[in-house]
Amino acid sequence: LRRFSGENKGIHVILEKNIPVGAGLGGGSSDAAAVLLGLKDFWNINIDDQTLSTLALELGSDVPYFLHDKSAYATGRGEILDYFDLNIPCWIIVVYPNIHVPTPWAYNNLRTKSKTIAASGDNLKTVLLENIQQPRRLTQLLRNDFEPLVMQTHEPVMRLKQTLAALGAEFAQMSGSGSSVYGLFSDERLAHEALGELRKSFQVFLTPPHFHPGA
């Protein structure tokens, strides 16, 4: 950002990490995007969204996503973003199993690169919009290509996915390149019971239905 703007001022940043590292939750990328946005305002830099996104892409493939609110369908390296409203009617539980999965390791060892499993050939955005009201259907329609790699290497991640299903999650899947696993719960009581059980061993995050990014 300094290179682009010619700004010669410095900055001192204290970063408090709340999102676990190596969890597949985009914690580092969201931090990077937040710093870019903060410095843009702090240094009063006049920069358009496309240029800022280009600079963000230099830091990481998913950093541009975090420059804006809403959900997005990403293609290319992750920089081609189609933002849309995704109203999730479920309680979302995200569990970090205290396992650090380095993102470079996951990508370097990924062998299978599949697309969304959908008979119609629809993309991820379409599949989600058409089926999010019936999360059980997503089990047959979606998969995370990183899951076999990570779960074969880190068995606790596989057990955690099984545990979420046993506790009432209608859909459970690993997040990103791991190691966090999330579950969608339609039943509030089951969600809170699962939260209490999982908190005994793991770091757990609970999001209520109809959450809107940036709200």
Side-chain angles (χ1 to χ4, degrees):
L1 194 59
R2 289 181 63 182
R3 185 182 70 244
F4 164 81
S5 65
E7 179 60 63
N8 58 9
K9 295 177 183 177
I11 189 75
H12 180 68
V13 177
I14 298 175
L15 175 62
E16 181 180 343
K17 295 286 288 185
N18 293 313
I19 300 174
V21 176
L25 298 174
S29 296
S30 60
D31 289 338
V35 171
L36 281 177
L37 292 170
L39 290 180
K40 170 180 173 289
D41 294 336
F42 190 73
W43 287 338
N44 194 27
I45 295 173
N46 184 18
I47 181 172
D48 61 86
D49 288 347
Q50 183 57 52
T51 303
L52 189 63
S53 181
T54 300
L55 294 178
L57 188 60
E58 294 182 27
L59 300 175
S61 295
D62 54 353
V63 177
Y65 163 76
F66 291 102
L67 294 174
H68 302 282
D69 297 335
K70 293 189 178 181
S71 301
Y73 174 59
T75 53
R77 275 181 52 197
E79 81 284 7
I80 304 173
L81 297 166
D82 177 13
Y83 286 91
F84 64 100
D85 287 313
L86 179 63
N87 184 10
I88 301 177
C90 305
W91 293 82
I92 308 170
I93 289 184
V94 180
V95 190
Y96 176 56
N98 306 316
I99 295 172
H100 179 195
V101 175
T103 302
W105 171 85
Y107 276 90
N108 288 337
N109 288 277
L110 182 64
R111 293 291 179 263
T112 302
K113 296 181 180 179
S114 69
K115 295 183 178 180
T116 299
I117 303 175
S120 64
D122 290 333
N123 63 34
L124 176 61
K125 172 185 173 181
T126 302
V127 169
L128 286 173
L129 289 174
E130 291 182 351
N131 297 279
I132 194 62
Q133 302 297 325
Q134 298 174 292
R136 290 190 187 279
R137 296 189 59 185
L138 298 177
T139 302
Q140 285 75 47
L141 295 172
L142 301 181
R143 79 175 176 208
N144 181 340
D145 288 334
F146 287 105
E147 271 195 0
L149 168 66
V150 175
M151 291 184 178
Q152 181 180 10
T153 310
H154 304 286
E155 187 177 344
V157 180
M158 179 178 64
R159 292 200 302 268
L160 180 54
K161 181 179 179 179
Q162 295 169 342
T163 298
L164 277 166
L167 290 172
E170 296 178 38
F171 175 73
Q173 192 172 79
M174 191 178 74
S175 177
S177 56
S179 61
S180 291
V181 181
Y182 66 94
L184 303 183
F185 290 76
S186 296
D187 189 303
E188 180 178 356
R189 179 183 61 82
L190 290 178
H192 282 280
E193 287 179 357
L195 177 70
E197 183 64 28
L198 292 164
R199 272 183 173 168
K200 297 175 183 178
S201 304
F202 307 110
Q203 188 173 0
V204 187
F205 306 88
L206 177 67
T207 301
H210 312 298
F211 166 77
H212 187 276

